[in-house]
Amino acid sequence: MRALLADRPFALLFTARTISVLGTGFGRVALAFAVLALPGSSPATLSVVLACQALPQLVLILAGGVIGDRFARRRVLLFAELLAGVAWTGLTLMFLTGHAPLPLVSVFAAMAGVASAVFLPAYDGVVPELVPPDRRLRANGLLRIGFNLGLILGLSLAGATVALVGAGWAVALNAASFFVSAGLILGIRTPAGPPRPPASAWSDLRRGWQEFSSRQWLWAVVAQYAFVVAAINAYVGVFGPLLAVSDLGGAPAWSAITAAQAAGTFLGVGIAVRVHPRRPVLVAALVTAAAALPMALLAASAPLPAVVAAAFLAGVAGDVFGVLWSTTMQREVPADALSRVSSWDLLGSLSFAPLGLLVAGPIAAATGTSDALWGCAALVVLATAGALLAPEVRRLRAPVRVVAPALAPEPAEVA
């Protein structure tokens, strides 16, 4: 990993992404407080703004994949970060001046969602352009460490920043992070790829779907994650906090659970970059079942230390999956289609995410929170079992690692 950070283009990407995610952590918390502080605002107002931010990301993610494969990915990343910076600067000015009509706030929030839809597929595709195949596992691990560290710090410091200087200035820090990230990306130089034959956007999109759908291991695990992400959203957004309040004493217990899961992600990266499993997709699909552990223990009214330990293991498993999955996609998918395939991956994995939050409340009211959380745990396990039915998930193998033998000493050296 030290060698990777000594490589200037990768080090710039790593730093840019970490800073951008740090700002995103600030933005998540600060936007909520800033919107709720507006005159006449309500939880429904916040829901409208967040929906305007999330909807373009989901709807336009396939277009982002086409853009990421059609144009130089460094330029796409630069454009996306600048667009996000402009969007969050607009929000900053409205919140600081106090003139923040809901339609205009929603427009800038939607602009931030568009930037995310453009950025993510190009980001997934740019790593192979900067890192040779034998280093990609560690490169993906290092990028995950930066992501986790940036998000944890951002979320942790955002509340104190809002309390000290106000939500508007905390939003401004998020805006600044995107401009700093754009400046770093500007310094990255990627090798020029082969010229692409002229093609329509529709044919580009169709080619991405063909590359995605022709790989059973890929769409099977994406289908698995569509259900897993929905269950996790319902658990994190609704069921977990409710049971933490009713059974474990409230917010401090829930903070301990979420902190343990965040801490586990760092160990997960360390494991993923060292184990080199021969069947990475099988391992990635299997470890996903660990997400059901804290759900089941919380539903069973287990003691807090047990739930915290389970959350830690779920965090470990989450980043083992993330590193193995990114590396496998970069190895198995053609580089010129990687952004489009990544966009199908993101669209499929997140397709049920809003539904998980939407139905969580009514289900909890109808069945009780514990029973609903048992259902989430069962959904994770069943989705994992479904993915394992796909032969390619069980059989896809990574290339054998060849370790060069030590050179035998020359006779003169022996003497």
Short mmCIF file of all heavy atoms in Angstrom, two decimals, residues 35-36 41-50 102:
data_model
loop_
_atom_site.label_atom_id
_atom_site.label_comp_id
_atom_site.label_asym_id
_atom_site.label_seq_id
_atom_site.Cartn_x
_atom_site.Cartn_y
_atom_site.Cartn_z
N VAL A 35 -32.19 22.43 6.53
CA VAL A 35 -33.55 22.43 5.99
C VAL A 35 -34.57 22.54 7.12
O VAL A 35 -35.54 23.31 7.03
CB VAL A 35 -33.80 21.15 5.16
CG1 VAL A 35 -35.28 21.02 4.79
CG2 VAL A 35 -32.95 21.17 3.90
N LEU A 36 -34.36 21.81 8.20
CA LEU A 36 -35.32 21.84 9.31
C LEU A 36 -35.33 23.20 10.02
O LEU A 36 -36.31 23.53 10.69
CB LEU A 36 -35.00 20.73 10.31
CG LEU A 36 -35.26 19.31 9.81
CD1 LEU A 36 -34.77 18.29 10.83
CD2 LEU A 36 -36.75 19.10 9.50
N SER A 41 -40.54 25.03 8.02
CA SER A 41 -40.09 23.70 7.59
C SER A 41 -40.66 22.62 8.50
O SER A 41 -41.02 22.86 9.65
CB SER A 41 -38.56 23.64 7.60
OG SER A 41 -38.10 22.38 7.18
N SER A 42 -40.72 21.39 7.96
CA SER A 42 -41.24 20.24 8.69
C SER A 42 -40.49 19.00 8.22
O SER A 42 -39.73 19.06 7.24
CB SER A 42 -42.74 20.08 8.43
OG SER A 42 -42.96 19.71 7.09
N PRO A 43 -40.70 17.87 8.86
CA PRO A 43 -40.08 16.64 8.34
C PRO A 43 -40.47 16.35 6.90
O PRO A 43 -39.67 15.80 6.13
CB PRO A 43 -40.62 15.57 9.29
CG PRO A 43 -40.85 16.30 10.58
CD PRO A 43 -41.31 17.66 10.19
N ALA A 44 -41.67 16.73 6.48
CA ALA A 44 -42.08 16.51 5.10
C ALA A 44 -41.22 17.35 4.15
O ALA A 44 -40.89 16.91 3.03
CB ALA A 44 -43.55 16.87 4.92
N THR A 45 -40.85 18.56 4.58
CA THR A 45 -39.98 19.40 3.77
C THR A 45 -38.63 18.72 3.54
O THR A 45 -38.10 18.69 2.42
CB THR A 45 -39.76 20.76 4.45
OG1 THR A 45 -41.01 21.34 4.78
CG2 THR A 45 -38.97 21.70 3.56
N LEU A 46 -38.07 18.16 4.61
CA LEU A 46 -36.79 17.46 4.49
C LEU A 46 -36.92 16.25 3.57
O LEU A 46 -36.03 15.98 2.76
CB LEU A 46 -36.32 17.02 5.88
CG LEU A 46 -35.00 16.25 5.93
CD1 LEU A 46 -33.86 17.07 5.34
CD2 LEU A 46 -34.67 15.84 7.37
N SER A 47 -38.03 15.54 3.65
CA SER A 47 -38.24 14.39 2.78
C SER A 47 -38.24 14.79 1.32
O SER A 47 -37.68 14.11 0.46
CB SER A 47 -39.56 13.69 3.13
OG SER A 47 -39.51 13.14 4.42
N VAL A 48 -38.87 15.92 1.00
CA VAL A 48 -38.91 16.41 -0.38
C VAL A 48 -37.49 16.70 -0.88
O VAL A 48 -37.11 16.31 -1.99
CB VAL A 48 -39.80 17.66 -0.48
CG1 VAL A 48 -39.62 18.33 -1.85
CG2 VAL A 48 -41.25 17.31 -0.24
N VAL A 49 -36.70 17.39 -0.07
CA VAL A 49 -35.34 17.75 -0.47
C VAL A 49 -34.49 16.50 -0.67
O VAL A 49 -33.76 16.37 -1.67
CB VAL A 49 -34.71 18.69 0.57
CG1 VAL A 49 -33.24 18.95 0.23
CG2 VAL A 49 -35.47 20.01 0.62
N LEU A 50 -34.56 15.57 0.27
CA LEU A 50 -33.76 14.35 0.15
C LEU A 50 -34.20 13.51 -1.04
O LEU A 50 -33.37 12.88 -1.71
CB LEU A 50 -33.86 13.54 1.45
CG LEU A 50 -33.24 14.19 2.69
CD1 LEU A 50 -33.42 13.30 3.91
CD2 LEU A 50 -31.76 14.49 2.47
N LEU A 102 -38.18 26.57 -1.07
CA LEU A 102 -38.11 25.12 -1.23
C LEU A 102 -37.86 24.69 -2.68
O LEU A 102 -37.04 23.79 -2.92
CB LEU A 102 -39.37 24.47 -0.68
CG LEU A 102 -39.45 22.94 -0.79
CD1 LEU A 102 -38.29 22.29 -0.04
CD2 LEU A 102 -40.79 22.44 -0.25
#
